[in-house]
Coordinates of all heavy atoms in Angstrom, one line a residue:
V18 N -11.8 -0.9 7.6 CA -12.7 -0.4 6.5 C -11.7 0.3 5.6 O -11.1 1.2 6.0 CB -13.8 0.5 6.9 CG1 -14.6 1.0 5.8 CG2 -14.8 -0.3 7.9
V19 N -11.6 -0.2 4.4 CA -10.6 0.3 3.4 C -11.3 1.0 2.2 O -12.3 0.6 1.9 CB -9.8 -0.9 2.8 CG1 -8.9 -0.5 1.7 CG2 -9.0 -1.6 3.9
K20 N -10.8 2.1 1.9 CA -11.4 3.0 0.8 C -10.5 2.7 -0.5 O -9.2 2.9 -0.4 CB -11.4 4.5 1.2 CG -11.8 5.4 0.1 CD -13.4 5.3 -0.1 CE -13.7 6.5 -1.0 NZ -14.8 6.2 -1.9
T21 N -11.1 2.6 -1.6 CA -10.3 2.5 -2.8 C -9.4 3.7 -3.1 O -10.1 4.9 -3.0 CB -11.4 2.2 -4.0 OG1 -12.1 1.2 -3.7 CG2 -10.7 2.0 -5.3
V22 N -8.3 3.5 -3.5 CA -7.3 4.6 -3.8 C -6.4 4.3 -4.9 O -6.3 3.1 -5.1 CB -6.5 5.1 -2.6 CG1 -7.3 5.6 -1.5 CG2 -5.6 3.9 -2.1
D23 N -5.9 5.2 -5.6 CA -4.9 5.2 -6.5 C -3.5 5.0 -6.0 O -3.4 5.8 -4.9 CB -5.0 6.3 -7.7 CG -4.0 6.0 -8.6 OD1 -4.2 5.2 -9.5 OD2 -3.1 6.9 -8.8
I24 N -2.6 4.3 -6.4 CA -1.3 4.2 -5.8 C -0.6 5.5 -5.8 O 0.2 5.7 -5.0 CB -0.4 3.1 -6.5 CG1 0.8 2.7 -5.6 CG2 0.0 3.5 -8.0 CD1 1.6 1.5 -6.2
G25 N -0.9 6.4 -6.6 CA -0.3 7.8 -6.7 C -0.6 8.6 -5.5 O 0.1 9.5 -5.2
S26 N -1.7 8.3 -4.8 CA -2.1 9.1 -3.6 C -1.6 8.5 -2.3 O -1.9 9.0 -1.2 CB -3.6 9.1 -3.6 OG -4.2 7.9 -3.3
I27 N -0.9 7.3 -2.4 CA -0.4 6.7 -1.2 C 1.0 7.3 -0.8 O 1.7 7.5 -1.5 CB -0.3 5.1 -1.4 CG1 -1.7 4.6 -1.7 CG2 0.4 4.4 -0.2 CD1 -1.6 3.1 -2.1
Q28 N 1.0 7.6 0.4 CA 2.1 8.1 1.0 C 2.8 7.1 2.1 O 2.2 6.2 2.5 CB 1.8 9.4 1.9 CG 1.2 10.5 1.2 CD 2.0 11.1 0.1 OE1 3.2 11.4 0.4 NE2 1.6 11.3 -1.1
E29 N 4.1 7.4 2.3 CA 4.8 6.6 3.4 C 4.0 6.8 4.6 O 3.5 7.9 5.0 CB 6.3 7.1 3.4 CG 7.2 6.2 4.2 CD 8.5 6.7 4.1 OE1 9.1 6.9 3.1 OE2 9.2 6.7 5.2
N30 N 4.1 5.7 5.4 CA 3.3 5.6 6.7 C 1.8 5.3 6.5 O 1.1 5.1 7.6 CB 3.6 6.9 7.4 CG 3.9 6.5 9.0 OD1 4.2 5.3 9.3 ND2 3.8 7.5 10.0
D31 N 1.2 5.4 5.4 CA -0.1 5.0 5.1 C -0.4 3.5 5.4 O 0.6 2.7 5.2 CB -0.6 5.2 3.7 CG -0.9 6.7 3.5 OD1 -0.8 7.5 4.4 OD2 -1.2 7.2 2.4
I32 N -1.5 3.1 5.8 CA -1.7 1.7 5.9 C -2.7 1.2 4.8 O -3.8 1.9 4.6 CB -2.5 1.3 7.3 CG1 -1.5 1.7 8.5 CG2 -2.9 -0.1 7.4 CD1 -2.2 1.6 9.9
V33 N -2.2 0.2 4.1 CA -2.9 -0.1 2.9 C -3.2 -1.6 3.0 O -2.6 -2.4 3.7 CB -2.0 0.0 1.6 CG1 -1.9 1.5 1.4 CG2 -0.7 -0.7 1.6
T34 N -4.1 -2.0 2.1 CA -4.5 -3.3 1.9 C -4.2 -3.8 0.5 O -4.6 -3.0 -0.4 CB -6.0 -3.7 2.3 OG1 -6.2 -3.3 3.6 CG2 -6.4 -5.2 2.1
Y35 N -3.5 -5.0 0.4 CA -3.1 -5.4 -1.0 C -3.3 -6.9 -1.1 O -3.4 -7.6 -0.2 CB -1.7 -4.8 -1.4 CG -0.7 -5.5 -0.5 CD1 0.0 -6.7 -0.8 CD2 -0.2 -4.9 0.8 CE1 1.0 -7.3 -0.1 CE2 0.8 -5.6 1.5 CZ 1.2 -6.7 1.0 OH 2.4 -7.2 1.9
K36 N -3.3 -7.3 -2.4 CA -3.5 -8.8 -2.7 C -2.0 -9.3 -2.8 O -1.2 -8.8 -3.5 CB -4.2 -9.0 -4.0 CG -5.7 -8.5 -4.0 CD -6.2 -8.6 -5.4 CE -7.5 -8.0 -5.6 NZ -8.1 -8.0 -6.8
K37 N -1.8 -10.4 -2.1 CA -0.7 -11.1 -2.3 C -1.1 -12.6 -2.5 O -1.5 -13.3 -1.6 CB 0.1 -11.1 -0.9 CG 1.4 -11.7 -1.0 CD 2.3 -11.5 0.3 CE 3.6 -12.2 0.3 NZ 4.4 -11.9 1.4
G38 N -1.1 -13.0 -3.8 CA -1.6 -14.3 -4.1 C -3.1 -14.4 -3.9 O -3.8 -13.4 -4.4
G39 N -3.6 -15.3 -3.1 CA -5.0 -15.2 -2.9 C -5.4 -14.7 -1.4 O -6.6 -14.9 -1.0
T40 N -4.4 -14.0 -0.8 CA -4.5 -13.3 0.4 C -4.6 -11.8 0.3 O -4.0 -11.3 -0.4 CB -3.5 -13.8 1.3 OG1 -3.4 -15.4 1.4 CG2 -3.7 -13.4 2.8
L41 N -5.4 -11.3 1.3 CA -5.4 -9.9 1.4 C -4.5 -9.6 2.6 O -4.7 -10.2 3.8 CB -6.8 -9.3 1.6 CG -7.7 -9.4 0.4 CD1 -9.1 -9.0 0.8 CD2 -7.2 -8.6 -0.6
V42 N -3.7 -8.5 2.4 CA -2.7 -8.2 3.6 C -2.9 -6.7 3.8 O -3.0 -5.8 2.9 CB -1.3 -8.4 3.1 CG1 -0.2 -8.0 4.3 CG2 -1.0 -9.9 2.7
T43 N -3.0 -6.3 5.1 CA -3.2 -5.0 5.6 C -1.9 -4.7 6.3 O -1.7 -5.1 7.5 CB -4.4 -4.8 6.5 OG1 -5.5 -5.0 5.6 CG2 -4.5 -3.3 6.8
H44 N -1.0 -3.8 5.7 CA 0.3 -3.4 6.4 C 0.7 -2.0 6.0 O 0.0 -1.3 5.2 CB 1.4 -4.3 5.9 CG 1.4 -5.7 6.5 ND1 2.3 -6.6 6.2 CD2 0.8 -6.2 7.7 CE1 2.2 -7.7 6.9 NE2 1.3 -7.3 7.8
R45 N 1.5 -1.4 6.8 CA 2.0 0.0 6.6 C 3.0 0.2 5.6 O 3.9 -0.8 5.4 CB 2.7 0.4 8.0 CG 2.9 1.9 8.0 CD 3.4 2.3 9.3 NE 2.5 2.0 10.4 CZ 1.4 2.8 10.9 NH1 1.2 3.8 10.2 NH2 0.7 2.3 11.9
V46 N 2.9 1.2 4.9 CA 3.9 1.5 3.7 C 5.1 2.1 4.4 O 5.0 3.1 5.2 CB 3.3 2.5 2.7 CG1 4.4 2.9 1.6 CG2 2.2 1.9 2.0
V47 N 6.2 1.6 4.4 CA 7.5 2.0 4.9 C 8.3 2.7 4.0 O 9.3 3.4 4.3 CB 8.2 0.9 5.7 CG1 7.5 0.4 6.8 CG2 8.6 -0.3 4.8
D48 N 8.2 2.5 2.6 CA 8.9 3.1 1.6 C 8.2 3.2 0.2 O 7.5 2.2 -0.1 CB 10.3 2.4 1.5 CG 11.4 3.3 0.8 OD1 11.2 4.5 0.5 OD2 12.4 2.7 0.4
L49 N 8.5 4.2 -0.6 CA 8.0 4.3 -1.9 C 9.1 4.2 -2.7 O 10.1 4.9 -2.6 CB 7.3 5.6 -2.1 CG 6.1 6.0 -1.4 CD1 5.7 7.5 -1.5 CD2 5.0 5.0 -1.6
V50 N 9.2 3.2 -3.6 CA 10.3 2.7 -4.4 C 10.0 3.1 -5.9 O 9.0 2.6 -6.4 CB 10.7 1.2 -4.3 CG1 11.8 0.9 -5.1 CG2 11.0 1.0 -2.8
D51 N 10.9 3.9 -6.6 CA 10.7 4.2 -8.0 C 11.5 3.1 -8.8 O 12.8 3.1 -8.6 CB 11.3 5.5 -8.3 CG 10.9 6.0 -9.8 OD1 10.6 5.1 -10.6 OD2 11.0 7.2 -10.0
Q52 N 10.8 2.3 -9.5 CA 11.6 1.3 -10.2 C 11.1 1.4 -11.7 O 10.0 1.0 -12.1 CB 11.1 -0.1 -9.6 CG 12.0 -1.3 -10.1 CD 11.7 -2.5 -9.3 OE1 10.7 -3.2 -9.7 NE2 12.5 -3.0 -8.4
N53 N 12.1 1.9 -12.6 CA 11.8 2.2 -14.0 C 10.6 3.0 -14.1 O 9.8 2.7 -15.1 CB 11.6 0.8 -14.8 CG 12.8 -0.1 -14.6 OD1 14.0 0.5 -14.5 ND2 12.7 -1.5 -14.5

């Protein structure tokens, strides 16, 4: 059961669900990357 969140509230080690193409993936965040 996934709760809607903003990316700014996600921390390293959280488990998130995201869209990858037409698939939903539930994996752990291992790193936060600042890109531009």
Side-chain angles (χ1 to χ4, degrees):
V18 178
V19 176
K20 175 75 174 147
T21 306
V22 295
D23 182 65
I24 194 167
S26 66
I27 296 172
Q28 303 291 317
E29 193 173 312
N30 224 17
D31 286 352
I32 297 174
V33 297
T34 299
Y35 64 93
K36 294 178 194 175
K37 184 176 183 180
T40 306
L41 293 174
V42 178
T43 301
H44 280 173
R45 188 176 305 278
V46 175
V47 294
D48 194 17
L49 301 171
V50 179
D51 186 341
Q52 198 172 72
N53 300 326

